[in-house]
Amino acid sequence: MASEFLLFQMASVSALVGMTLGWRGVMTRYSGFYDLPTAWSNVFWGILVGGLYGSMTHNFIVIPYIDQLLVDEQAAVVNPLNLLILCLLASVAVHLLLRRDRVRKGSSQTTSGWALGLAIGGMMAMVLILVSLKSADMSLRLVVTVLCLALFGPRCEALICSFQGHLMLRGRRWGAVLRGAFWRCAYVVMFAFALVNVSAWIFIIPAALVFNRYSESWIWESIPKEGKKRLRKIWARNARDAQIKQEQDATSQDIGGTDAEE
């Protein structure tokens, strides 16, 4: 029992680290220009939805998939109808949370979607990390799997939810739900496959990095025009301050080197 509790703690901490890095990577860049209380409320809802979604995915998709892959060596998806239903229900839940009045009032579907996705993905990553720790001995492959799950599990779900919020902001409601369900199906299948074959990360990581570049444009489009002007001024001022500091440091080093020669 103590060992299971320790493994649960390791999985929880790893997932929280991934959520924190995902938050700092995008949300801190636009801090002050989106509705932060609404984003944090979506983190709470994401934990609830992600806990249920992760548990059902674990029971009906991940474990049967791993069992079949290890026994029959077939990578076919077990119960594809269950996979489709679960991912569709998750997309509908995300849609309902992002269409609330407090989210639509500030046009914060993308930022709220990112926060919601980080929490959902964090819970999913925690479940998958726990499965990995229970089913494998300590090795380099296990370390790589846990590290990648912690880093990319929350971020990939955040990309999906943010993209769904971006489409909702453009008025594509049902299109957002269907596309979100499609990408979640791919997300679940690839991450389940990564539990037994570390080469799956060769496909997951580049895709996540490519779509991560688009996420900034999604969030940028959700910021009002006045906010964009202020944000450009802040970035320009920060760039000037950084350049001035760099020039001052270079000058002080030149003076220090001259004094040392004398």
Side-chain angles (χ1 to χ4, degrees), residues 162-210:
S162 183
F163 178 62
Q164 190 170 340
H166 171 68
L167 293 178
M168 292 176 63
L169 193 60
R170 290 189 167 188
R172 302 176 183 177
R173 298 180 178 179
W174 288 109
V177 172
L178 295 178
R179 291 190 182 186
F182 170 79
W183 286 112
R184 283 186 178 86
C185 289
Y187 168 88
V188 171
V189 171
M190 289 303 298
F191 273 72
F193 181 65
L195 296 180
V196 294
N197 194 331
V198 73
S199 63
W201 297 110
I202 299 176
F203 304 96
I204 297 174
I205 294 176
L209 295 178
V210 169

Side-chain angles (χ1 to χ4, degrees), residues 10 14 129 132-133 141-151 201:
M10 293 174 61
S14 300
I129 291 172
S132 299
L133 294 175
R141 186 182 70 85
L142 177 62
V143 173
V144 172
T145 300
V146 171
L147 182 62
C148 291
L149 285 172
L151 293 178
W201 297 110

Side-chain angles (χ1 to χ4, degrees), residues 51-201:
L52 181 61
Y53 176 50
S55 177
M56 296 182 69
T57 302
H58 169 271
N59 295 333
F60 297 107
I61 305 298
V62 176
I63 296 302
Y65 178 80
I66 294 176
D67 292 341
Q68 175 175 315
L69 193 62
L70 294 177
V71 174
D72 300 333
E73 296 183 356
Q74 296 180 0
V77 179
V78 179
N79 299 325
L81 183 60
N82 290 345
L83 174 67
L84 180 61
I85 291 175
L86 285 176
C87 294
L88 186 60
L89 289 176
S91 298
V92 171
V94 171
H95 177 81
L96 294 177
L97 289 171
L98 295 182
R99 71 184 301 271
R100 292 178 298 165
D101 291 337
R102 63 181 302 180
V103 177
R104 290 185 296 174
K105 185 177 180 181
S107 299
S108 58
Q109 285 91 336
T110 52
T111 53
S112 295
W114 186 273
L116 180 65
L118 281 178
I120 295 175
M123 298 301 294
M124 178 68 75
M126 182 181 68
V127 171
L128 296 177
I129 291 172
L130 190 59
V131 171
S132 299
L133 294 175
K134 286 184 177 180
S135 60
D137 297 329
M138 181 58 64
S139 62
L140 179 60
R141 186 182 70 85
L142 177 62
V143 173
V144 172
T145 300
V146 171
L147 182 62
C148 291
L149 285 172
L151 293 178
F152 293 97
R155 184 173 292 271
C156 287
E157 183 63 37
L159 287 170
I160 296 173
C161 289
S162 183
F163 178 62
Q164 190 170 340
H166 171 68
L167 293 178
M168 292 176 63
L169 193 60
R170 290 189 167 188
R172 302 176 183 177
R173 298 180 178 179
W174 288 109
V177 172
L178 295 178
R179 291 190 182 186
F182 170 79
W183 286 112
R184 283 186 178 86
C185 289
Y187 168 88
V188 171
V189 171
M190 289 303 298
F191 273 72
F193 181 65
L195 296 180
V196 294
N197 194 331
V198 73
S199 63
W201 297 110

Side-chain angles (χ1 to χ4, degrees), residues 206-262:
L209 295 178
V210 169
F211 282 101
N212 191 71
R213 297 179 59 184
Y214 290 102
S215 64
E216 294 191 4
S217 64
W218 302 337
I219 296 176
W220 177 258
E221 292 179 6
S222 66
I223 298 176
K225 292 183 179 180
E226 293 298 326
K228 291 179 180 178
K229 293 180 181 179
R230 291 167 51 198
L231 195 54
R232 288 194 186 99
K233 292 180 181 178
I234 292 174
W235 287 345
R237 184 173 64 249
N238 292 338
R240 288 195 301 268
D241 293 342
Q243 185 177 3
I244 292 173
K245 184 178 180 181
Q246 185 178 3
E247 293 175 354
Q248 291 176 348
D249 292 340
T251 303
S252 62
Q253 290 178 358
D254 293 339
I255 295 175
T258 304
D259 294 340
E261 293 177 358
E262 294 179 353

